[in-house]
Amino acid sequence: MIDGTFRTVARTADGVRMIDQRRLPLEETYLDLNSPAEVATAIRDMVVRGAPAIGISAAFGLALGADQKVALDPAEFDARLRQDAEVLRASRPTAVNLGWALDRMLGVADAARAAGLDNAGVVERLERDARRIHDEDLAACRAMGRFGAGLVPGEATILTHCNAGGLATAGYGTALGVIRGAVEANKKIRVLADETRPFLQGARLTAWELQKDGIDTTLITDSMAGSLMRAGEVQLVVVGSDRIAANGDVANKIGTYSVAVLARENDVPFYVAAPMSTIDFDCPDGDLIPIEERDPTEVTELFGTRVAPPGIGVRNIAFDVTPARYVKAIVTERGIARPPFQDSLARMRDGG
Ligand code: MRU
């Protein structure tokens, strides 16, 4: 069984521990965070990143904050829990898993109160549900791996963008879960990892975790993808997502849209792998997905060294939207959704 040897995020006795993804691959270090505000800052600063991992971290952070407030008067406890949730929710805007996890946790707290539980009882339920969110994500990734492997030919070079791996989830990954599933099914797989400017999740994270697993991986710059597709060197593309609208439009790391258009032009199938928690049924189409813009220094500097002239105008758009018409299938833990996604995703949600 192929598996990572690192732990993306965990609830410890008195905090939340996460691998510091900003330092990978040069250093494998872990940070211990001791309050919901510290977890929110870690999400914003990309110590932890990737939609499912952000949701799990927020759930652990909320449980931690509740545990620290157990001695408060119940009304004060409830109000402070909601404040913590809003601090965590504001940390990053695009990944819907963040709000999904927080709303689920607040629902658990409300149900515990309605059942007459005291603060300690609410904390216990929150801790349990945060662990469940983590464990369900791991199980979802493994299921995506099994379903997705069926889309992969016996021998294939697969291109992926950003990092949708164990580092972006509880473990195993969504897009990288499909790749791991195909390898476990004894398919002969080579991976092309886009470096993913400007934060280099592909060069630093995807390359690191696939290399650790012994999966044949070649790093390319983002601008090489089209040329390699045209040369017939890519058999399929699989990426993750931060939010999928009800009609199947897919928000993912900036550059994904370009990859999808190039894939269409070159007859390369473009697949998306994401858990049901990434599908935002309240969002009818991709134009309504909030897109994060980040600090310009991520573009103007490389590892602290300025590479652009002072005073230059900069955009740092962190995500783009790929219209559903470019997506051949969406792999979830419930199976494979095909166009029209409006119908197939709704059927999946309803268990049909
Ligand atoms: O800015 P990031 O690194 O959080 O962006 C991550 C991505 O775009 C991933 O592809 C997405 O969150 C899916 S992770 C399974």
Side-chain angles (χ1 to χ4, degrees):
M1 176 69 67
I2 292 174
D3 220 333
T5 53
F6 53 88
R7 190 81 197 263
T8 306
V9 54
R11 176 82 168 97
T12 54
D14 51 6
V16 178
R17 177 169 297 167
M18 42 183 78
I19 190 166
D20 189 343
Q21 300 196 26
R22 300 166 307 179
R23 297 185 174 276
L24 288 171
L26 301 181
E27 277 176 45
E28 189 174 333
T29 48
Y30 288 79
L31 284 187
D32 286 306
L33 308 165
N34 299 308
S35 70
E38 284 186 20
V39 173
T41 302
I43 293 172
R44 194 196 61 216
D45 293 349
M46 309 243 275
V47 173
V48 66
R49 29 66 50 202
I54 291 172
I56 296 161
S57 302
F60 282 146
L62 198 67
L64 165 67
D67 187 41
Q68 291 170 334
K69 297 174 187 57
V70 74
L72 293 180
D73 151 82
E76 174 76 4
F77 174 97
D78 291 350
R80 297 275 299 277
L81 184 72
R82 286 196 139 63
Q83 279 170 14
D84 286 346
E86 294 326 303
V87 169
L88 286 158
R89 199 187 298 274
S91 56
R92 289 192 79 188
T94 303
V96 72
N97 307 62
L98 175 60
W100 169 86
L102 290 167
D103 289 339
R104 172 168 158 169
M105 292 281 284
L106 291 175
V108 164
D110 288 345
R113 273 289 185 245
L117 297 190
D118 61 6
N119 289 356
V122 175
V123 169
E124 201 232 296
R125 293 276 171 96
L126 287 172
E127 295 282 11
R128 196 168 63 195
D129 201 55
R131 278 196 306 277
R132 266 195 197 140
I133 288 173
H134 177 278
D135 295 351
E136 285 171 10
D137 184 64
L138 189 56
C141 287
R142 289 188 180 282
M144 278 179 259
R146 285 191 296 274
F147 286 122
L151 298 170
V152 178
E155 184 170 353
T157 297
I158 304 178
L159 185 137
T160 191
H161 190 73
C162 193
N163 172 267
L167 287 165
T169 58
Y172 203 74
T174 57
L176 297 196
V178 170
I179 289 169
R180 289 188 164 103
V183 171
E184 286 178 21
N186 293 320
K187 302 192 177 193
K188 195 169 175 327
I189 302 301
R190 286 173 304 274
V191 178
L192 290 173
D194 277 357
E195 67 170 347
T196 317
R197 276 283 289 155
F199 206 69
L200 303 181
Q201 290 93 331
R204 299 187 303 103
L205 309 177
T206 296
W208 181 75
E209 64 166 273
L210 290 183
Q211 191 180 54
K212 246 172 147 31
D213 273 358
I215 295 176
D216 181 350
T217 303
T218 301
L219 177 64
I220 59 171
T221 66
D222 300 343
S223 46
M224 294 175 189
S227 175
L228 288 165
M229 286 188 209
R230 185 158 178 271
E233 293 194 33
V234 181
Q235 278 67 57
L236 64 103
V237 175
V238 62
V239 297
S241 174
D242 284 78
R243 191 185 299 235
I244 299 175
N247 71 345
D249 290 350
V250 172
N252 192 47
K253 179 51 52 193
I254 192 74
T256 303
Y257 171 50
S258 317
V259 172
V261 174
L262 287 165
R264 165 63 54 84
E265 170 69 16
N266 291 284
D267 286 328
V268 174
F270 178 89
Y271 297 113
V272 176
M276 294 301 290
S277 54
T278 298
I279 302 168
D280 185 354
F281 289 98
D282 295 330
C283 181
D285 66 64
D287 290 346
L288 295 163
I289 297 176
I291 299 293
E292 178 181 21
E293 291 216 26
R294 294 185 58 84
D295 193 308
T297 56
E298 289 177 358
V299 174
T300 56
E301 294 180 3
L302 281 178
F303 300 104
T305 302
R306 180 122 198 150
V307 292
I312 192 75
V314 181
R315 295 292 300 274
N316 186 10
I317 305 163
F319 298 95
D320 59 28
V321 173
T322 298
R325 66 179 180 279
Y326 290 103
V327 180
K328 179 132 194 216
I330 298 174
V331 183
T332 79
E333 69 273 37
R334 297 197 181 161
I336 294 175
R338 296 195 181 268
F341 293 113
Q342 189 84 45
D343 303 333
S344 56
L345 292 176
R347 270 200 308 278
M348 250 179 199
R349 175 196 55 195
D350 301 337

